[in-house]
Structure formats: structure tokens, C-alpha cells
Amino acid sequence: MSYNAEAKADAVSPERLAGRYSYLEREGLLPLPTRDGVTIIVELAHKEWAEECLKRLLLYSGPAVRLTGVVMKEDFPLEPLLEQLSAETELSFLPYERGNYRTNEALADARTSFVVLVEDRVMVTPGWLGELLWPAIDDPAAYVTAPCSAAEEQEGRAVLRFGNDLELSAYVNHQLSRFRGEWQEVQVLSGPCLIITRDILQRTGGLDASLGERRYIIADWCLRARQLGARLALSSASYVHVLQPLEGNTGYTDGGEQAAYAEAGRAYCAKWGLPDERLGEAGLPVPGELSALERQPAIPLGRTAAALPLVTAVVYFEDKWPAAASMQRQLLLQAQQSYGNIRWVSVRDSWADTSPDFPVHEQDTVITVQGEKLWLHALESFSAMYQSEVTVYLSASVSYDSEYVTRIVKALQHSTAALIVSAAPGLAESELPSYPERGAAAVLPLERTAHRGGIMPGRIVKRESSRRSLLLCPGPELAVGYIAGGPASGAGGSVNDNLPSDGEGGTRK
């Protein structure tokens, strides 16, 4: 063979082509193996790591990606991220909403062939994404792929420590050169990074947030995908670094969180017919005969249908409130309540100022009348107009803690009473009035009263005082119950925090 022929053969060798490919990929000069790009959904829960995670994803994922950050915790500080990353046009955020699992909402909005679901404790390196897309191209049934990491189950777990970013990049490149293109099928995935094809996402549906803990939520989704014929791939060539709490810190701040995690594990086992004892095994317990189990239903993508009972919160303004002050107080009351499924209704006696342009949210209502009689009539009559499972009365002149509505709803769910009265602040459970007999005369403080939907609660009257604070005289057929932890007196003036005296009509005891 001539020198030229030998050189030509050497030039087209697979090893040399692979080396060139590796160089182009490391330098970010190769496009991803998909025409429509990739959607990356980042679950934001760790304020100390989130910014670095997002910056790395933006830097190392290539130009054909779109990122959505989903805030997973109510106390997560989103504002600093908005300030730091406001110039990134390919990045958007979904703020936290109580009662709505917004990861499913982000998944529903994905329009690309591949969707990445990643936690904000994942630190990626150059070229991390491309290798994870190949299993679905190699095998059309390999719909789900995960990289190795310290948080992946079973074969994929690789607990490593790196002194700096150079050490991490060197290890990732070494693994890529050794195992390029290699992947294996596994029974379950639960780690912090998944690549999903849009086809299997549409068929399997969203994540089951009722399981509570992400580890079980991801594993459950993977098992449901397997029931539809999907293969789960673990990429031997890919590694992402997952930040962990400091040694000795479990990540749980109290016993309640540990109990919640244990409850999530039991819920997962119950869903898949596994004994609770298997939670003590290494890795996640998985059904041995998955095909023999009844197929789990798909969970709809998009906004979570509210599992919480619908509450109508009636805010009434006793004094002459200007429109601007009314709006400010209404918004404050709305922001204070942590309950996630409230429809707000404001009832104002405008006296001389009708203020027809009083602003409200689209789903809310403002009833503005002139005159005290019409004001009282509107408060008595509105329950016939607005159907909900619970109606709560809130005075604009009273301060309420953030869990007030939640406590009221729980009390009605676990009580046979038609009406619930929140007793004075500081009153112990042992000091609460007992449930009275039906038919006994009663006068209740309206600002601390709630009732079940579908009933007429009774007659609303004024207190005998200079203020227009209100009392509710329930019908004799309605049973009344009491709970501790009432609102404090506050914003617009003092409110009597005790249950009404006998002089006001008699307290039901």
C-alpha cells in the first residue's frame, strides 16, 4: 500500500472521527441531535444553589434550549434571580402557587421533542446534554434517560468529591471518552435529572404530586411510563454533579419533615402494592411483575385541579373606607392567607362614593351598595348567589394570621357542625365552648364565623356600639362548633375578641 493510501485510510478511521467529534462537542460547535431544540425545566428549591445552577445551564446547554424555572417552595426568594438573570431572554419563571404543582404546568407548555426535568442542585459541565439524547435515537423505546450522579438509584449512583471545577470537568470528559454512546436499561430512575421524550410525556401525563417527596414522585412517573412500554436508560458516559447538604445534615429541619418523608414512602408503596418493609432496602423498591399490575391512570398535564375545597371569603368594610384604602386592605388580606383555593367577595357600603372602578382580580367580585340596610341585606343574601364548599367572613378592620382560613376549613371537614366560630386568641382547646344543642339561641361574631356551603347562615345584625361591627344570629336548626386560634384585633380599630356576652343574645355553651 502506498503512503498516500495509508494516510487516507488513517484519516477516516472511526477513532479519529470520534476524536474530532469530541473536540467539536467540547467546544460547543455541534448542534444537538434534534431539530426543534430542548426544553429544560428547573425545579427551584435551594436558594444557595439555584443561581449557579441556572447560569451553568444557560452557559453549557447550547443555543437551542429554552429554560423555565419553577419555584417549588413558598419561601424561595425569586426576586434576586429575576434581578440577576433578567437579560436572559431564553429563561422564564413560574412563581410559587399554593395548591398548584406548577411543574406539571411547565411540562404542559413544552413544545420540543425532548424535555429535561432537573433540580437546582445539579451542576452541569460543557457538552452535558448531547450525550443524553442519543439513547432515544438508538432505540425508539428508550423514552427516558438519566445521567449518573450521586443521587441516582442503584447502578447509576456515583458519590464523588471534587476540589474545584477543573477536577469536575476532567472527570466528566474522562467518563465521556471511556463510555461514549454506552447506556443500559434500568428498572427505575429517581434522580435529579431526567431527559424525557415529548411523546411519552403526553401518554404518561404529569407527576403525581400527592406522593409528596420528589424521589417517589419521579420513580412513580417512571413506573407509569414503563407500563406503557417505555425503556428507562442510564447513560454510562454522562455524569452530573449533585450538591448535597453538609455531612451530618439530613436536610430535615424537624421531626415533622421526617414524618412527611416516611409517609410519602408508604404512599408510594401503597400505590404500587409493595409492603412498607421494602422501604428499608437499598435503592427504591420496585414491583417485580409490573406488567401484572393494573395500569395506573395518566395524570393530566397543566394546572393542578385544586384538591382543596373552594372557599368564598367575604370581606366586609364596616366603616367608611375610601376606594383606594379598600383596595389596599383587600389586597393585604388576600396576600396574608396561605390557603390556595379562595374566591374573594368584597361587600362595601360606599355611602356617598360609589367608586365603580374599584379594581379586583378577574375571579373576584365586589358588591358596592349605598346605605346600611342594603349593606346588611347584601351580606345576608350573597350565600345564595355564590356556591362554594366553605364561606368565611372576614372583617376589613381585623388582622388574621396566614393559617386562619386553613384552620377553619379543616375544622368544618372534621366536624358535624354547620357553622364554626373561631374563639378568642390565646384560648386553649380545653377552654372552648362545647358544641351546643340545635335550637339554642346564639349570637356569633361575624368576623370569626364560617359556614358550610349551600345553607342560609341566618340573620346579620349590628352590635350595640359606635362601630358597625356585626353579629350573626344563626337559624335554630344549625349546629355551631368552636375552634381555638381566632384573629387578633388590628388594622381598622379594636374588635371585641371574646365570644358575645349574654347581653348580646347569649353565647351558646
Coordinates of all heavy atoms in Angstrom, one line a residue, residues 182-231:
E182 N -22.5 4.6 25.4 CA -23.0 3.4 26.1 C -24.1 3.8 27.1 O -24.0 4.8 27.8 CB -21.8 2.8 26.9 CG -20.7 2.2 26.0 CD -19.6 1.5 26.8 OE1 -19.9 1.2 28.0 OE2 -18.5 1.3 26.3
W183 N -25.1 3.0 27.2 CA -26.1 3.1 28.1 C -26.7 1.8 28.5 O -26.6 0.8 27.7 CB -27.2 4.1 27.6 CG -27.9 3.8 26.3 CD1 -27.4 4.1 25.1 CD2 -29.0 3.0 26.1 NE1 -28.3 3.6 24.1 CE2 -29.3 2.9 24.7 CE3 -29.9 2.3 27.0 CZ2 -30.4 2.2 24.2 CZ3 -31.0 1.7 26.4 CH2 -31.2 1.6 25.0
Q184 N -27.4 1.7 29.6 CA -28.0 0.4 30.0 C -29.5 0.7 30.4 O -29.8 1.8 30.9 CB -27.2 -0.2 31.1 CG -27.1 0.7 32.3 CD -26.3 0.1 33.4 OE1 -26.5 -1.0 33.8 NE2 -25.3 0.9 33.9
E185 N -30.3 -0.3 30.3 CA -31.7 -0.2 30.7 C -31.7 -0.5 32.2 O -31.1 -1.4 32.7 CB -32.5 -1.2 30.0 CG -34.0 -1.1 30.3 CD -34.9 -2.0 29.5 OE1 -34.3 -2.9 28.7 OE2 -36.1 -2.0 29.6
V186 N -32.6 0.2 32.9 CA -32.7 0.1 34.4 C -34.2 0.0 34.7 O -35.1 0.3 33.9 CB -32.1 1.2 35.2 CG1 -30.6 1.2 35.0 CG2 -32.7 2.6 34.7
Q187 N -34.5 -0.5 35.9 CA -35.9 -0.7 36.3 C -36.6 0.6 36.8 O -37.8 0.8 36.6 CB -36.0 -1.7 37.4 CG -35.8 -3.1 37.0 CD -36.0 -4.1 38.1 OE1 -35.5 -4.0 39.2 NE2 -36.9 -5.0 37.9
V188 N -35.8 1.5 37.4 CA -36.4 2.7 37.9 C -35.4 3.8 37.9 O -34.2 3.5 38.0 CB -37.0 2.5 39.3 CG1 -35.8 2.3 40.3 CG2 -37.9 3.6 39.8
L189 N -35.8 5.1 37.8 CA -35.0 6.2 38.0 C -35.6 7.2 39.0 O -36.8 7.2 39.0 CB -34.8 7.0 36.6 CG -34.1 6.2 35.5 CD1 -34.3 6.9 34.2 CD2 -32.6 6.1 35.8
S190 N -34.8 7.9 39.7 CA -35.4 8.8 40.7 C -34.5 10.0 40.9 O -34.8 10.8 41.8 CB -35.6 8.1 42.1 OG -34.3 7.8 42.7
G191 N -33.5 10.2 40.1 CA -32.5 11.2 40.4 C -32.9 12.6 40.0 O -34.1 12.8 39.6
P192 N -32.0 13.5 40.1 CA -32.3 14.9 39.9 C -32.3 15.4 38.5 O -32.5 16.6 38.2 CB -31.2 15.6 40.7 CG -30.0 14.7 40.6 CD -30.6 13.3 40.6
C193 N -32.1 14.5 37.5 CA -32.0 14.9 36.1 C -32.6 13.9 35.2 O -32.1 12.7 35.3 CB -30.6 15.2 35.7 SG -30.3 15.8 34.0
L194 N -33.6 14.2 34.4 CA -34.2 13.2 33.5 C -34.4 13.9 32.2 O -34.7 15.1 32.1 CB -35.6 12.8 34.0 CG -35.7 11.9 35.2 CD1 -37.2 11.6 35.4 CD2 -35.0 10.6 35.0
I195 N -34.1 13.1 31.1 CA -34.4 13.6 29.7 C -35.6 12.7 29.2 O -35.5 11.5 29.2 CB -33.2 13.4 28.8 CG1 -31.9 13.9 29.4 CG2 -33.5 14.1 27.4 CD1 -31.9 15.3 29.7
I196 N -36.7 13.4 28.9 CA -37.9 12.7 28.5 C -38.3 13.1 27.1 O -38.2 14.3 26.7 CB -39.1 13.1 29.5 CG1 -38.6 12.8 30.9 CG2 -40.4 12.3 29.2 CD1 -39.6 13.5 32.0
T197 N -38.8 12.1 26.3 CA -39.3 12.5 25.0 C -40.8 13.0 25.2 O -41.5 12.6 26.1 CB -39.3 11.3 24.1 OG1 -40.3 10.3 24.5 CG2 -38.0 10.7 23.9
R198 N -41.1 14.0 24.4 CA -42.4 14.6 24.5 C -43.5 13.5 24.2 O -44.6 13.6 24.8 CB -42.6 15.7 23.5 CG -43.9 16.5 23.7 CD -43.8 17.9 23.0 NE -45.0 18.7 23.3 CZ -46.0 18.7 22.4 NH1 -46.0 18.0 21.3 NH2 -47.1 19.4 22.7
D199 N -43.2 12.5 23.4 CA -44.2 11.5 23.1 C -44.7 10.8 24.4 O -45.8 10.6 24.7 CB -43.7 10.5 22.1 CG -44.6 9.4 21.8 OD1 -45.7 9.7 21.3 OD2 -44.3 8.2 22.1
I200 N -43.7 10.3 25.1 CA -44.0 9.5 26.3 C -44.6 10.4 27.4 O -45.4 10.0 28.2 CB -42.8 8.7 26.9 CG1 -43.3 7.6 27.9 CG2 -41.8 9.7 27.6 CD1 -44.1 6.6 27.2
L201 N -44.2 11.7 27.4 CA -44.8 12.7 28.4 C -46.3 12.8 28.1 O -47.1 12.9 29.0 CB -44.0 14.0 28.2 CG -44.5 15.1 29.1 CD1 -44.3 14.8 30.6 CD2 -43.8 16.4 28.8
Q202 N -46.6 13.0 26.9 CA -48.1 13.1 26.5 C -48.9 11.9 26.9 O -50.0 12.0 27.3 CB -48.2 13.4 25.0 CG -47.6 14.8 24.6 CD -48.3 15.9 25.2 OE1 -49.5 16.0 25.3 NE2 -47.5 17.0 25.6
R203 N -48.3 10.7 26.8 CA -49.0 9.5 27.0 C -49.1 9.2 28.5 O -50.1 8.7 29.0 CB -48.4 8.3 26.3 CG -48.5 8.4 24.8 CD -47.6 7.5 24.0 NE -47.6 6.1 24.5 CZ -46.7 5.2 24.3 NH1 -45.6 5.5 23.7 NH2 -46.8 4.0 24.8
T204 N -48.0 9.4 29.2 CA -47.9 9.1 30.7 C -48.6 10.2 31.5 O -49.2 9.9 32.6 CB -46.5 8.9 31.1 OG1 -45.8 8.0 30.3 CG2 -46.4 8.5 32.6
G205 N -48.5 11.4 31.0 CA -49.1 12.5 31.8 C -48.1 13.1 32.8 O -46.9 12.9 32.6
G206 N -48.6 13.8 33.7 CA -47.7 14.6 34.6 C -47.3 13.8 35.8 O -47.5 12.6 35.9
L207 N -46.7 14.5 36.8 CA -46.2 13.9 38.0 C -47.3 13.9 39.1 O -48.1 14.8 39.2 CB -45.0 14.7 38.5 CG -43.9 14.9 37.5 CD1 -42.8 15.9 38.0 CD2 -43.2 13.6 37.1
D208 N -47.2 12.8 39.9 CA -48.2 12.7 41.0 C -47.7 13.4 42.2 O -47.0 12.8 43.1 CB -48.4 11.2 41.3 CG -49.5 10.9 42.3 OD1 -50.1 11.9 42.8 OD2 -49.8 9.7 42.5
A209 N -48.1 14.7 42.3 CA -47.6 15.5 43.5 C -48.2 15.0 44.8 O -47.6 15.4 45.8 CB -48.0 16.9 43.2
S210 N -49.2 14.2 44.8 CA -49.8 13.7 46.1 C -48.8 12.8 46.8 O -49.0 12.6 48.1 CB -51.1 12.9 45.8 OG -50.8 11.7 45.2
L211 N -47.8 12.3 46.2 CA -46.8 11.4 46.9 C -45.8 12.3 47.7 O -45.1 11.7 48.6 CB -46.0 10.6 45.8 CG -46.8 9.6 45.1 CD1 -45.9 8.9 44.0 CD2 -47.4 8.6 46.0
G212 N -45.8 13.6 47.5 CA -45.1 14.4 48.5 C -43.6 14.6 48.3 O -43.2 15.8 48.3
E213 N -42.9 13.6 48.1 CA -41.4 13.7 48.0 C -40.9 13.4 46.6 O -41.4 12.5 45.9 CB -40.7 12.7 49.0 CG -40.9 13.0 50.4 CD -40.2 14.3 50.8 OE1 -39.1 14.6 50.2 OE2 -40.6 15.0 51.7
R214 N -40.0 14.2 46.1 CA -39.6 14.1 44.7 C -39.1 12.7 44.3 O -39.3 12.2 43.2 CB -38.5 15.2 44.4 CG -38.2 15.3 42.9 CD -37.1 16.3 42.7 NE -37.0 16.6 41.2 CZ -36.3 15.9 40.4 NH1 -35.7 14.8 40.8 NH2 -36.2 16.2 39.1
R215 N -38.3 12.1 45.2 CA -37.8 10.8 44.9 C -38.9 9.8 44.5 O -38.7 9.1 43.5 CB -37.0 10.3 46.1 CG -36.4 8.9 46.0 CD -35.5 8.6 47.2 NE -34.8 7.4 47.2 CZ -35.1 6.3 47.9 NH1 -36.1 6.4 48.8 NH2 -34.4 5.2 47.8
Y216 N -39.9 9.8 45.2 CA -41.0 8.9 45.0 C -41.9 9.4 43.8 O -42.4 8.6 43.0 CB -41.9 8.7 46.2 CG -41.1 8.1 47.4 CD1 -40.9 8.9 48.5 CD2 -40.6 6.8 47.3 CE1 -40.2 8.3 49.6 CE2 -39.9 6.3 48.3 CZ -39.7 7.0 49.5 OH -39.0 6.5 50.5
I217 N -42.0 10.7 43.6 CA -42.8 11.3 42.5 C -42.1 10.9 41.2 O -42.8 10.4 40.3 CB -42.8 12.8 42.7 CG1 -43.7 13.2 43.8 CG2 -43.4 13.4 41.4 CD1 -43.7 14.7 44.2
I218 N -40.8 11.0 41.1 CA -40.1 10.6 39.9 C -40.2 9.1 39.6 O -40.4 8.7 38.5 CB -38.6 11.1 39.9 CG1 -38.6 12.6 40.0 CG2 -37.9 10.6 38.7 CD1 -39.2 13.4 38.8
A219 N -39.9 8.3 40.7 CA -40.0 6.9 40.5 C -41.4 6.4 40.0 O -41.5 5.6 39.2 CB -39.6 6.2 41.8
D220 N -42.4 7.0 40.6 CA -43.8 6.7 40.2 C -44.0 7.0 38.7 O -44.6 6.2 38.0 CB -44.8 7.4 41.1 CG -46.2 7.4 40.6 OD1 -46.8 6.3 40.8 OD2 -46.7 8.4 40.0
W221 N -43.6 8.2 38.3 CA -43.7 8.5 36.9 C -43.0 7.5 36.0 O -43.6 7.1 34.9 CB -43.2 10.0 36.6 CG -43.5 10.4 35.3 CD1 -44.6 11.2 34.9 CD2 -42.8 10.2 34.1 NE1 -44.6 11.4 33.5 CE2 -43.5 10.8 33.0 CE3 -41.6 9.5 33.8 CZ2 -43.1 10.8 31.7 CZ3 -41.2 9.5 32.5 CH2 -41.9 10.1 31.4
C222 N -41.8 7.1 36.4 CA -41.1 6.2 35.5 C -41.8 4.8 35.4 O -41.8 4.2 34.4 CB -39.6 6.0 36.1 SG -38.6 7.4 35.8
L223 N -42.3 4.4 36.5 CA -43.1 3.1 36.5 C -44.3 3.2 35.6 O -44.6 2.2 34.9 CB -43.4 2.7 37.9 CG -42.3 2.3 38.9 CD1 -42.8 1.9 40.3 CD2 -41.4 1.2 38.3
R224 N -45.0 4.3 35.7 CA -46.1 4.5 34.8 C -45.7 4.5 33.4 O -46.4 4.0 32.5 CB -46.9 5.8 35.2 CG -47.7 5.7 36.5 CD -48.6 6.9 36.7 NE -47.8 8.0 37.2 CZ -47.8 9.2 36.6 NH1 -48.5 9.4 35.5 NH2 -47.2 10.2 37.1
A225 N -44.6 5.1 33.1 CA -44.1 5.1 31.7 C -43.7 3.7 31.2 O -44.0 3.3 30.1 CB -42.8 6.0 31.6
R226 N -43.1 2.9 32.1 CA -42.8 1.5 31.8 C -44.0 0.7 31.5 O -44.0 -0.2 30.6 CB -42.0 0.9 33.0 CG -40.5 1.2 33.0 CD -39.8 0.5 34.1 NE -40.0 -1.0 34.0 CZ -39.8 -1.8 34.9 NH1 -39.4 -1.4 36.1 NH2 -40.0 -3.1 34.8
Q227 N -45.1 1.0 32.2 CA -46.4 0.3 31.9 C -46.9 0.6 30.5 O -47.6 -0.2 29.9 CB -47.5 0.7 32.9 CG -47.3 0.1 34.3 CD -48.5 0.4 35.2 OE1 -49.1 1.5 35.2 NE2 -48.9 -0.6 35.9
L228 N -46.4 1.7 29.9 CA -46.8 2.0 28.5 C -45.7 1.5 27.5 O -45.8 1.9 26.3 CB -47.0 3.5 28.4 CG -48.1 4.1 29.2 CD1 -48.1 5.6 29.1 CD2 -49.4 3.5 28.9
G229 N -44.8 0.7 28.0 CA -43.8 0.2 27.1 C -42.5 0.9 27.0 O -41.6 0.6 26.2
A230 N -42.3 2.0 27.8 CA -41.1 2.8 27.7 C -39.9 2.0 28.4 O -40.1 1.3 29.4 CB -41.3 4.1 28.4
R231 N -38.7 2.2 27.8 CA -37.5 1.7 28.4 C -36.8 2.9 29.1 O -36.8 4.0 28.6 CB -36.5 1.1 27.4 CG -37.1 -0.1 26.7 CD -36.1 -0.6 25.7 NE -34.9 -1.2 26.3 CZ -33.8 -1.6 25.7 NH1 -33.7 -1.5 24.4 NH2 -32.8 -2.1 26.4

